[in-house]
DNA sequence: AATTCGGGGGA
DNA sequence: TCCCCAGAATT
């Protein structure tokens, strides 16, 4: 049987020499580490850094976050994706203030009771902020460990995941567990790369079973993903006679929950796009509109499907607005938009509107 | 156990 | 294009 128990020694030695300076490594504030770990869920470091800096400036403590409104919180998260993370951070902050006296719990088990904190984030906070010798497993560590132990099983299977977590648990050292966990992730990020692992400079190369077997590029084993469906979506900038236009807030749960948008929806078979828009506005808001000229067309890929978003000018005609498929609505001017959190596609619509309303050069 | 949640970066 | 990313919650 393979012996990886000595892994932490060369790994920590490598990390002490090569570790990257990151904003969340400059202090020991558990709150700041929590924010960083949640932002880093499924999100790359370079994407997170500017959001992290702005967040801590706006919400420097858990009390500041707990006291903020959901709109303020979503506005700070705007563009980062997986918006339930922001809603859960907000809710967990209020729990921490109300039932933990404003202090994060120190054990992984207690941390995991908070909204938005699962096995990874609980282990990360417990080991990095509180020096608890508990394991973590993320995408990087999954790749490193399936290579070190040359695990041939499909990592999407819960049985395989369980095995990887168990292996990770046997490797965590009692000294510097947080540094060790970060080092293992950074090894995956800098050395044990998905398509081109740099085995020649890897501090764990001598221990690596996949390297010995020549199977590095076949680890980890993932299932194939089917092709993504493609939808056409119509959205409207619906004008009222006083020069204001309509925006709507999406339901708090589900895709882009709580974000604002130009209302509309998916095209159904046999429909023209203007028909789609008129129908969706009727179904979601209960009003009748007249669709006018097209504004712009935007392509966007989500995790499980792709869309082409067609946006039109439109005019309010009749009916009283009801919240049939939206959480809220507002009649606004351009100057109002800065206060509302929008998804990236709708930010592009706004940019197109601004561009078209600017006087054209001759 | 499988699906649903964003958006960007890199090969 | 496709893969990948310091995953969690829901069904």
């Amino acid at each position: 049987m393979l012996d990886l128990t000595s892994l932490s020694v060369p790994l920590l030695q490598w990390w002490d020499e090569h570790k990257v300076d990151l904003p969340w490594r400059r202090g020991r504030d558990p709150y700041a580490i929590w924010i960083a770990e949640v932002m880093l869920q499924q999100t790359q470091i370079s994407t997170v850094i500017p959001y992290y800096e702005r967040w801590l400036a706006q919400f420097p403590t858990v009390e500041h976050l707990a006291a903020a409104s959901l709109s303020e919180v979503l506005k700070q998260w705007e563009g980062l994706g997986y918006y339930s993370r922001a809603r859960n951070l907000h809710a967990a902050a209020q729990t921490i203030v109300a039932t933990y006296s404003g202090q994060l719990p120190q054990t992984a088990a207690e941390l995991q009771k908070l909204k938005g904190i699962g096995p990874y984030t609980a282990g990360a906070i417990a080991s990095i902020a509180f020096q608890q010798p508990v394991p973590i497993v993320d995408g990087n560590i999954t790749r490193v460990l399936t290579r070190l132990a040359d695990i041939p099983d499909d990592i999407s299977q819960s049985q395989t995941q369980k095995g990887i977590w168990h292996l990770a648990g046997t490797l965590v050292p009692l000294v510097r567990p947080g540094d060790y966990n970060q080092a293992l992730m950074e090894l995956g990020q800098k050395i044990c790369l998905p398509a081109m692992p740099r085995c020649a400079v890897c501090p764990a190369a001598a221990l690596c079973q996949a390297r010995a077997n020549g199977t590095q590029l076949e680890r980890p084993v993932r299932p194939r993903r089917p092709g993504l469906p493609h939808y056409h979506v119509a959205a409207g900038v619906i004008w009222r006679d006083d020069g204001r236009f309509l925006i709507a807030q999406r339901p708090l749960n589900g895709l882009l929950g709580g974000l604002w948008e130009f209302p509309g929806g998916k095209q159904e078979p046999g429909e023209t796009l203007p028909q789609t828009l008129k129908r969706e506005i009727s179904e979601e808001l209960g009003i009748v509109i007249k669709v006018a000229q097209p504004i712009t067309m935007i392509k966007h890929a989500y995790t499980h499907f792709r869309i082409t978003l067609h946006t039109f000018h439109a005019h309010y005609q009749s009916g009283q607005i009801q919240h049939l498929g939206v959480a809220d609505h507002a009649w606004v001017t351009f100057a109002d938009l800065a206060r509302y959190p929008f998804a990236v596609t709708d930010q592009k619509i706004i940019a197109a509107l601004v561009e078209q309303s600017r006087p054209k050069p001759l």
Side-chain angles (χ1 to χ4, degrees):
Chain A
M1 187 55 193
L2 170 71
D3 182 21
L4 290 172
T5 52
S6 62
L7 174 63
S8 73
V9 175
L11 183 64
L12 282 168
Q13 188 176 342
W14 169 80
W15 196 62
D16 287 337
E17 195 172 338
H18 295 96
K19 74 170 168 183
V20 178
D21 177 40
L22 296 170
W24 45 89
R25 288 183 180 161
R26 290 170 193 163
R28 283 282 163 185
D29 178 11
Y31 166 74
I33 291 170
W34 170 40
I35 299 303
E37 290 304 335
V38 172
M39 286 187 171
L40 286 162
Q41 291 169 8
Q42 295 293 288
T43 310
Q44 295 183 345
I45 290 170
S46 58
T47 303
V48 165
I49 288 175
Y51 282 88
Y52 175 83
E53 308 271 26
R54 271 183 271 132
W55 185 281
L56 284 190
Q58 175 99 9
F59 311 120
T61 69
V62 66
E63 286 83 6
H64 286 88
L65 177 56
S69 73
L70 180 58
S71 275
E72 291 172 321
V73 170
L74 284 173
K75 189 64 188 173
Q76 286 299 314
W77 205 270
E78 183 183 58
L80 196 52
Y82 287 138
Y83 297 91
S84 66
R85 293 184 294 176
R87 300 194 303 272
N88 288 334
L89 272 178
H90 189 219
Q94 295 176 340
T95 301
I96 290 166
V97 168
T99 67
Y100 292 96
S101 312
Q103 306 293 315
L104 267 78
Q106 302 197 5
T107 66
E110 202 66 20
L111 283 161
Q112 210 171 321
K113 295 178 181 174
L114 293 166
K115 279 195 176 182
I117 298 185
Y120 164 80
T121 308
I125 297 171
S127 64
I128 296 169
F130 300 116
Q131 290 77 48
Q132 305 278 329
V134 292
I136 59 177
V137 174
D138 73 327
N140 289 305
I141 291 180
T142 296
R143 185 172 57 257
V144 171
L145 293 186
T146 55
R147 284 174 175 170
L148 282 175
D150 199 17
I151 296 169
D153 308 314
D154 180 349
I155 60 164
S156 72
Q157 298 300 305
S158 58
Q159 195 78 316
T160 311
Q161 282 296 317
K162 194 175 166 186
I164 293 171
W165 273 91
H166 179 263
L167 174 59
T170 65
L171 302 179
V172 181
L174 295 176
V175 287
R176 304 180 64 192
D179 287 349
Y180 163 84
N181 280 333
Q182 293 182 85
L184 200 54
M185 289 190 287
E186 199 152 316
L187 187 74
Q189 183 203 342
K190 301 292 186 192
I191 304 292
C192 198
L193 304 175
M196 198 184 305
R198 303 168 60 197
C199 302
V201 293
C202 178
L207 301 171
C208 185
Q209 202 62 41
R211 174 168 166 74
N213 296 338
T215 55
Q216 304 96 304
L217 298 182
E218 301 165 33
R219 306 286 179 263
V221 174
R222 304 174 185 276
R224 287 215 183 292
R225 257 196 293 184
L228 305 179
H230 187 293
Y231 305 116
H232 288 269
V233 176
V237 180
I238 303 169
W239 296 90
R240 209 165 57 174
D241 289 341
D242 65 358
R244 290 176 173 267
F245 54 91
L246 183 64
I247 60 174
Q249 187 183 30
R250 297 176 61 88
L252 292 187
N253 295 317
L255 186 73
L256 306 171
L259 295 189
W260 290 75
E261 66 178 4
F262 294 97
K266 253 190 292 189
Q267 183 179 36
E268 291 183 354
E271 265 181 344
T272 68
L273 287 162
Q275 286 170 343
T276 298
L277 183 55
K278 195 173 165 70
R279 174 182 56 75
E280 288 282 350
I281 297 304
S282 170
E283 289 175 0
E284 293 184 357
L285 292 153
I287 62 173
V288 177
I289 62 168
K290 181 176 178 59
V291 179
Q293 73 274 26
I295 299 172
T296 183
M297 191 187 82
I298 295 160
K299 292 178 183 293
H300 191 75
Y302 293 91
T303 305
H304 293 282
F305 58 91
R306 304 170 189 282
I307 65 166
T308 302
L309 177 59
H310 308 262
T311 309
F312 297 84
H313 285 292
H315 299 282
Y316 168 81
Q317 287 204 303
S318 63
Q320 192 68 32
I321 289 188
Q322 308 164 58
H323 295 166
L324 304 174
V326 304
D328 199 1
H329 79 280
W331 291 98
V332 298
T333 65
F334 282 108
D336 298 325
L337 295 179
R339 293 188 283 111
Y340 296 89
F342 286 93
V344 163
T345 49
D346 289 81
Q347 293 179 41
K348 290 177 180 172
I349 294 174
I350 293 170
L353 276 173
V354 170
E355 177 64 28
Q356 292 176 16
S357 67
R358 183 179 305 161
K360 303 287 185 297
L362 296 179

